Each structure stands twice: as C-alpha cells, then as structure tokens.
Amino acid sequence: MSIAIPADVRERVIQAAQELYEQNGRESMPTVDAVRRHARVDMNAASAVMREWRRAQTAQAAPVAVTVPEVVTQAHSAALVALWQTAQELANESLRAAQAAWEAERAEADHDRQELADAYERQAAELEEVRAAAERSARLYQEQQDTQAQTLAAVRAELVTAATRAERAEARAQEIELRATDLRSELDHAHQEQGRIRAELAAATARAERAEAQAQEAEQRAAALRGELESAHQESERSRAETATLAGELRQSQDAVAVLRAQLSSIEASKTQEIERARQERDQLLGELNTAKTAVTQAEAASAEARERAAVLAGKLESEQSHSAALAALLARLNLIAGSEGEGVEPSA
C-alpha cells in the first residue's frame, strides 16, 4: 500500500539525505533517523522517500532483453546467433544485476528495519526522558501554580483589606464632608443668629431707651407721688391733730356733761324749770356731742382714707422704684451684652 507523500516533504527528505551523504564523503548512506531529524518529518515519510533515494543511488542502467524482430533476423541472419548470444549474456547479466540489486535492497530493508528498531528504541528512551521531564515540569508547574495560588490568595486578601480600608476612608471622608457641611450650616446659622442678636440688641437698646424714658417719667411721677404722699402725710397729721383736738373736745364735753349731770342732779330736786332747762341744755349738749361724734367719725374716716391713700401711694412708689430698678438692671445688662458683642465682632471684622 503506497503512501501519498507531499512534494515539499519529499524534497526536504531528499535534500537532507543528499546533504548528509555529502557530509559523509559519499562513503556511507545516512540513516533514516538522521534524515528524519534533519528534515523534521515523520518516520513513515522518511522511510519511504529514503528507500526510493537509496534505490536511485544504487540502480544501474541495464538493457532489457527483447525478441529480435523478424526483419532484423532476415537481414542479419548471419550475425543473429552471435548477437542473440550476446543479448542473452546481457540479459543474464541484467538478471544477475537485478538479483544483486534485490539482495542489496533486501539488505537495505533489513538495515532500514534495524535502523527503525534502533530509532524506535532511541525514540522510546527519548520519550521516556521527555515523559520524565514532562512529569518534572508538571510537578514544577503544579508547585508554581500552588505558589501562585497562595500568592494570589494573599494578594486577594490584601486587596480585600485595601478595599475595606478604602471604603472606611471613603466613609470617613463622607463623614468629614457631612461634618464640614454641618459646620458650614452652623456657621451660617451663627452668622444669622449674630445678626438676629444684633437686631435684638438694637431693639433692646431702643426698648432700654424707652424704658429709661419711662423710668425718668416714672421718677417724675414718683416725685409727684412723693409730693402727694407728703401732702397726704401732712393732711394725715392735720387729721390726726384735728382728731386729737376733737378727742380733747369730746373729753371736755364728757367732762362738761358729767359736771352738768352733777349740777342736774343737785338742781333736779329744787327746780323743775331748771330741770327742764337742764334737760334742754342736755339735749343741746347731746346734739353737740352727737355732732362732735359725727365730726370725730368723719375725721377718723378721713384719717383712714388718708392712710389708705398714703399706703396706695407708697405701694405705687415702691412699684415704680422696683420697676425703675429692674429697668436700670436690664439697661446695664444690655450695655454689658452690647460691650461683649462688640469685643467679639471687632476681631472678625
């Protein structure tokens, strides 16, 4: 069964065989394995092409024995026998050469089989070496893979740690940003509060000025009330003096009534007219006494009213004084706040 060999493979094998044959000085044929290695082809293609190449190198041109044509026999009957003998000898030589070539080809085939066996053994040994090297490479590769896996795991762990740190840093940055926003809001609120405090301070100053004016007015009213209170005290003193006078007069009247009663008792027995007159005088004295009592009652009522009015005026005076003191304290406090606010605002300006 013939094998279809590509032309480029055939050319590479023939070129490699020719180069190796020339390198050996044309003394020995190159081996199939050497040609296969040099041409970089598979063993089957190398064996088939090398067989043809060796046959071409050892083949010799030999005439082929054919039957003498009748025309030649008739024309050269005399020389036919000698020519035929010569032709048979040549044919025999060709047969012997073919047998020798066949023997050489068989020997070459045996040699090729031996070379193939040797090449197979060498290739098996090389394959075993390659397999061992592959196993060593596989173990080394596995060790490298394990090392790389451990390194990759460590890198992944470091990456996770770095990502966690980055997330924490980002959260911290967001928190700082939020805190900065809150501080800005608080600063704006503080500025607004400062403006509001300034407005309240201005309003409080205006209220303090109004309170001061009211305090001055209250002091004026208090002075007027003090004048009225002094007048009320004087009136109360006069009422008390009048009450004392009326009380003295009442006592005098009572004494006079007692005297009159004594006189009436002494005179009652002697004169009815005098009794009647005394009764009239008594009635008159009783009327005067009632009038005096009424005057005393009115004086006491006036004195009580004067005392109540004086107490009311004193309460109003104390209230106005307390209000004036509170307004003065508020004014001092507002002045203190205004002074501290001015000290706190001037450096920022």
Side-chain angles (χ1 to χ4, degrees):
M1 181 177 181
S2 61
I3 300 174
I5 300 174
D8 58 340
V9 175
R10 184 184 298 275
E11 290 178 0
R12 288 206 309 272
V13 172
I14 293 173
Q15 184 178 0
Q18 191 67 31
E19 290 177 357
L20 293 175
Y21 185 57
E22 293 294 336
Q23 290 177 3
N24 293 332
R26 293 180 173 270
E27 294 180 356
S28 60
M29 297 289 183
T31 62
V32 177
D33 184 60
V35 174
R36 179 186 65 81
R37 292 175 180 273
H38 190 73
R40 298 181 181 276
V41 295
D42 61 283
M43 184 62 74
N44 293 328
S47 299
V49 176
M50 280 295 295
R51 190 179 300 112
E52 295 177 0
W53 182 79
R54 285 175 178 172
R55 188 180 299 114
Q57 296 297 322
T58 58
Q60 295 180 359
V64 180
V66 295
T67 304
V68 178
E70 186 177 356
V71 177
V72 176
T73 302
Q74 292 176 0
H76 303 283
S77 58
L80 181 60
V81 176
L83 182 60
W84 181 248
Q85 290 177 354
T86 302
Q88 285 181 348
E89 290 177 359
L90 291 174
N92 291 330
E93 288 179 0
S94 297
L95 179 60
R96 287 192 295 272
Q99 289 177 351
W102 181 79
E103 292 292 337
E105 186 176 355
R106 187 177 63 180
E108 184 180 356
D110 293 338
H111 184 266
D112 290 340
R113 283 194 297 272
Q114 186 63 36
E115 287 182 355
L116 289 175
D118 295 340
Y120 176 77
E121 294 296 334
R122 287 194 301 272
Q123 189 173 9
E126 291 176 357
L127 182 61
E128 188 66 26
E129 292 178 358
V130 170
R131 186 179 293 109
E135 291 178 356
R136 289 193 301 271
S137 299
R139 286 195 300 271
L140 181 60
Y141 176 75
Q142 186 63 35
E143 292 176 357
Q144 291 178 353
Q145 288 294 323
D146 295 338
T147 304
Q148 291 178 358
Q150 294 176 359
T151 305
L152 182 60
V155 170
R156 286 178 179 173
E158 292 179 357
L159 182 60
V160 171
T161 304
T164 304
R165 291 178 180 175
E167 291 176 356
R168 291 178 180 175
E170 185 177 0
R172 181 61 178 170
Q174 292 178 356
E175 182 180 358
I176 292 172
E177 184 66 23
L178 292 175
R179 181 58 180 167
T181 304
D182 294 338
L183 290 176
R184 293 192 192 97
S185 300
E186 291 179 1
L187 182 60
D188 295 336
H189 181 69
H191 285 304
Q192 295 175 0
E193 188 69 18
Q194 186 177 7
R196 187 181 62 81
I197 290 173
R198 287 179 179 174
E200 290 181 356
L201 180 60
T205 304
R207 288 197 299 270
E209 291 176 354
R210 290 195 299 270
E212 186 177 1
Q214 291 177 0
Q216 292 177 358
E217 184 180 357
E219 288 180 357
Q220 293 175 359
R221 291 176 60 189
L225 290 174
R226 282 195 294 270
E228 292 179 1
L229 182 60
E230 290 177 358
S231 299
H233 280 300
Q234 292 175 1
E235 186 176 356
S236 177
E237 291 295 332
R238 287 195 300 271
S239 298
R240 288 178 183 176
E242 291 177 357
T243 302
T245 302
L246 291 174
E249 291 178 356
L250 178 60
R251 285 193 296 272
Q252 291 176 1
S253 298
Q254 290 176 353
D255 293 338
V257 169
V259 171
L260 289 174
R261 283 179 181 177
Q263 290 176 359
L264 181 60
S265 298
S266 62
I267 296 172
E268 186 177 4
S270 61
K271 292 181 179 179
T272 304
Q273 293 179 355
E274 290 179 0
I275 292 171
E276 185 68 21
R277 190 175 54 252
R279 185 178 295 171
Q280 292 177 357
E281 290 177 357
R282 187 189 64 181
D283 293 333
Q284 184 179 359
L285 288 174
L286 288 173
E288 292 177 356
L289 180 60
N290 291 328
T291 302
K293 287 182 178 180
T294 303
V296 170
T297 302
Q298 291 177 355
E300 289 178 352
S303 178
E305 183 179 359
R307 284 195 298 272
E308 290 177 358
R309 187 176 180 184
V312 171
L313 292 174
K316 289 183 178 180
L317 179 60
E318 290 177 357
S319 177
E320 292 295 334
Q321 288 177 351
S322 300
H323 185 63
S324 298
L327 290 175
L330 178 60
L331 181 60
R333 187 176 179 183
L334 290 174
N335 290 330
L336 181 60
I337 293 174
S340 62
E341 184 66 23
E343 292 177 357
V345 172
E346 287 178 0
S348 62

